[in-house]
Structure formats: structure tokens, C-alpha cells
Amino acid sequence: MEYVQERIATLHEFGEGDGMSDALARDAAAAVGETAIVVPMTVREYESPAAERVLGELERLEPAPAAVFVPVRADDDEIGTFREWLGSFALPTRVLWCNAPGVDALLAEAGLAGDFGKGRDVWLALGPAADEGDSVVVHDADARSYEAEHVHRLLAPLTMDYEFSKGYYARVERNRLYGRLFRLFYEPLVRTLADTHDAPIVDYLGAFRYALAGEFAATDELARRLRPPRAWGLEVGTLGDAYEIAGFGGTAQVDLGRHEHDHRAVAGDAGLERMSREVAAALLRVLEEHGVDPDYETLPERYRAVGGELIEGYRADAAFNGLEYDPADERDQLARYAGSIAPPGSDARLPRWTEAPFAPSDVLAAARPWRDRRIGSRSQD
């Protein structure tokens, strides 16, 4: 347990007393009724124990949220059963079929066709969600330890006039350290850049305890001004926008305890190695936009040196806590991730909703085509 404050307000879970003060707890609970929650899913989450828990916990919120938007990527023959399952929960659910033909057509007509992934899915929901609530909470659906109280914790800073709130948590389970992409890629890369670049944006990105967490809350105004990368760079891109809009003084991070997530392989199209490439592109683009000019020729090797020092720290920490630890495997991951460090290339981010070429209502119509014709099963959305 510690109580260190970073450059941004850091709200700890000390485990003492009764939690939030009565007044703050009431404010956070009341805010739920004016909040839209976004929970992106793919077929991977369909009827999974983690997603079942997340939705079951959201059912416990009182008052109920203004809406729960579930942007879903699924094939035509899968969306009906997906909707039926989501409709079985007692929630004000709005299912958005992110790869519906109408959505693809809408984006193509606006010149926004291109790659798809988590970032695009969340963006499609952010516009409608910001119209539905005074605040927006976004979180992943793969946390087996999720609790409804996490919504209250994320919203609490917004009731204290912060504009952006980021969740952080420990990734320790199965007697091992997880959170590998953050520990072995993001953290050593940001530290490496901080060694040679004295820039506020580097300080901001380095202040987050778990920058790659999928859980955050934002005011509706901030949510409308996010420009998400289309895939796995979503979390880092969000931090870059939050820096511009909220800055150090308008940002808080909140302790969400210990999370147990589904785990990914390192290699493969859905693995951490591919994710590292997209995280690197998003991170380096944010830095370049704010005046940081990395030396790409030397950066990978310097990153590996800093990462090696961190691995020694992780080894000692694991031993201190009686955890299993494989330094050789971690060094292998470090080498793999080093290959992701390169200039970010062309910018394919989606626009701010304040500048979008169509309205959130157009997305709702395109992403819920069953409103106009028979596709899949009946549902409350």
C-alpha cells in the first residue's frame, strides 16, 4: 500500500475506513443515472464467463445507467444470437452492429473506410453515448474480477470537476505477473523517451499507473473530442487527446484493485506482438504531434536496455512475493516488441464527433438495421 501522488491526481484504494466519503459516494451513485456506458465486444466475448460477469454486475447498478452501448463485431449469421444473449440482461442495452453493411457504407461515403478494430468500434458508440449521458464510461468485457463499484469509482473524479478519469489495477494472477504489454513495452519505451526528451507530454504519459487499461470515464464534451486510432492504439490515443483537452489538472486516475483478465498469446494476428505495433504507432504519433522528435535509429536499442533494467526489478519483485517468473521469456518478448518501434506512418485516426461528417443518429440507424428489416432476433434495442 502506498499513497504517492503522480503528476496527475491519483485516487488510491487504501482499504481503510468505509471507502468513499458519504457525500462523494452519493454523488458518484447519482451520476450513474446520467451516464452512458460503452462495453465493446467481439464474438470472442459471446457468452464468456468474463462478459457474463461484467453485464451481471452492471445489472446491480442503482440507479440504472442512462444506456449501455455494446458495439459488437460479428458476422451476419452471428449477430442475431448475440443480440438475444445481450437482451437477456436487465439493462438499457443499445446493440451497435459495427460491421453491419450500413455502417461500412456510411463510413465509405464519408471517406472514412479503412481498417477496423476496437478503436473504431468504440468510436462508433462514443457519439451516441455522449448524446445519451452527461458522462461516458468505457471498459472492456474480459475482466473476470469486474465489480459494479468500478463505475462509481471511475465517475467519482468527474463529480469533483475532473474531465477525464482513468482506471488502474494490479495484474497479478495464477501466481504470475501479467500486464505484459504495459510492463515490457509501454513503460520502458516511455522511460527511454523521458531520458532524452524533457517534454510535458512525456511526463503526462508516464504518470499513468496502467496506461493500457481499457477503463476510463469522461465528460460528454471530452468524449466528443476524442480521435481514436482504429484498433489497439485506442488507449494511448485517448491519453493523447485527454492531455490536450483536460491536461494535468483535469485528469485523475483511480485504483480499481486487482483485475483478472483473459490473456493473449504473444505471437499471432491477435497477439501482443501485433498489438505492440499499433500501440507504438499511436504513442509515437502523439509524441510527434507535441514536439517530440525521437531518434528512431537508436531508440530500439535504448529501449531494450531500459527494458532489461526493468526485468531485473520485476524478477526481484516476483521473488519478494513468491511469484513464478521467467526472465528469459520476458527478454524474448522485449526483443520482439523492439521491432515495433518505428515512425508511425500515415494517420488513419477517426475524427472528433464535433467534426464528424454525419450525426450519431446516422450511426444508430446504420448499426441497428433490424429496426428497418428483419435481421436476427427481436431485442429491446
Side-chain angles (χ1 to χ4, degrees):
M1 181 190 303
E2 49 74 37
Y3 42 78
V4 175
Q5 285 293 317
E6 304 287 355
R7 285 288 306 276
I8 58 176
T10 302
L11 281 58
H12 301 83
E13 175 61 47
F14 291 133
E16 300 288 339
D18 297 320
M20 283 187 273
S21 68
D22 291 343
L24 182 57
R26 285 194 299 269
D27 289 345
V32 174
E34 304 298 327
T35 295
I37 298 176
V38 176
V39 188
M41 294 190 188
T42 65
V43 174
R44 182 172 182 256
E45 280 77 42
Y46 175 64
E47 289 189 333
S48 70
E52 290 267 5
R53 178 178 179 109
V54 168
L55 295 169
E57 285 290 308
L58 291 178
E59 285 182 309
R60 296 178 50 228
L61 288 171
E62 294 183 6
V68 177
F69 287 90
V70 184
V72 171
R73 244 179 306 133
D75 291 338
D76 184 83
D77 60 350
E78 298 168 324
I79 189 63
T81 53
F82 215 132
R83 288 179 56 227
E84 183 176 358
W85 171 63
L86 291 168
S88 70
F89 294 89
L91 290 167
T93 309
R94 308 285 186 270
V95 181
L96 303 183
W97 185 16
C98 294
N99 55 319
V103 172
D104 291 340
L106 181 67
L107 293 173
E109 290 169 5
L112 297 175
D115 293 340
F116 59 85
K118 179 183 177 183
R120 193 189 82 155
D121 296 350
V122 170
W123 179 81
L124 288 169
L126 282 176
D131 280 356
E132 192 80 28
D134 295 336
S135 54
V136 177
V137 168
V138 178
H139 62 73
D140 294 334
D142 64 348
R144 297 188 301 276
S145 53
Y146 181 81
E147 298 177 4
E149 178 65 18
H150 294 170
V151 176
H152 293 171
R153 294 189 194 179
L154 288 167
L155 287 173
L158 272 57
T159 70
M160 297 187 284
D161 297 326
Y162 292 94
E163 299 172 76
F164 179 74
S165 168
K166 176 83 166 178
Y168 72 91
Y169 37 80
R171 292 292 306 276
V172 181
E173 55 183 291
R174 303 177 188 175
N175 205 40
R176 300 180 65 91
L177 296 173
Y178 281 93
R180 294 162 293 171
L181 197 61
F182 174 73
R183 288 192 300 106
L184 297 172
F185 184 63
Y186 181 95
E187 181 68 11
L189 182 54
V190 171
R191 288 196 185 193
T192 302
L193 290 160
D195 287 342
T196 51
H197 298 280
D198 183 16
I201 183 63
V202 179
D203 292 342
Y204 185 83
L205 295 175
F208 291 91
R209 299 288 179 86
Y210 193 10
L212 301 186
E215 290 72 22
F216 73 87
T219 63
D220 58 332
E221 293 182 1
L222 189 146
R224 290 188 182 94
R225 295 173 64 188
L226 296 176
R227 300 168 297 166
R230 292 171 177 266
W232 298 115
L234 167 65
E235 289 79 14
V236 179
T238 297
L239 296 185
D241 290 335
Y243 171 75
E244 290 185 6
I245 302 164
F248 288 97
T251 300
Q253 61 181 337
V254 180
D255 189 346
L256 299 182
R258 179 181 292 190
H259 265 30
E260 296 180 4
H261 277 234
D262 293 339
H263 301 295
R264 295 179 182 272
V266 175
D269 287 343
L272 298 180
E273 190 171 3
R274 176 183 174 181
M275 292 173 67
S276 73
R277 294 194 292 271
E278 298 183 17
V279 169
L283 172 62
L284 293 166
R285 178 173 292 109
V286 165
L287 292 168
E288 287 186 357
E289 283 186 342
H290 291 88
V292 176
D293 184 19
D295 181 352
Y296 288 107
E297 184 174 345
T298 64
L299 185 56
E301 193 60 35
R302 289 186 290 120
Y303 150 79
R304 290 185 65 173
V306 173
E309 293 173 0
L310 281 171
I311 285 173
E312 287 305 304
Y314 298 139
R315 180 193 60 78
D317 205 4
F320 189 75
N321 286 278
L323 303 177
E324 297 176 11
Y325 191 71
D326 186 346
D329 179 69
E330 301 248 308
R331 291 192 188 95
D332 176 70
Q333 290 184 58
L334 200 71
R336 287 172 176 266
Y337 301 150
S340 300
I341 301 172
S346 60
D347 186 356
R349 282 175 298 182
L350 293 153
R352 298 178 176 90
W353 272 103
T354 55
E355 302 169 352
F358 43 75
S361 58
D362 297 324
V363 171
L364 291 177
R368 291 190 280 171
W370 44 83
R371 289 242 174 176
D372 302 315
R373 66 185 191 276
R374 297 183 63 183
I375 293 181
S377 61
R378 295 183 63 186
S379 175
Q380 61 185 329
D381 58 66

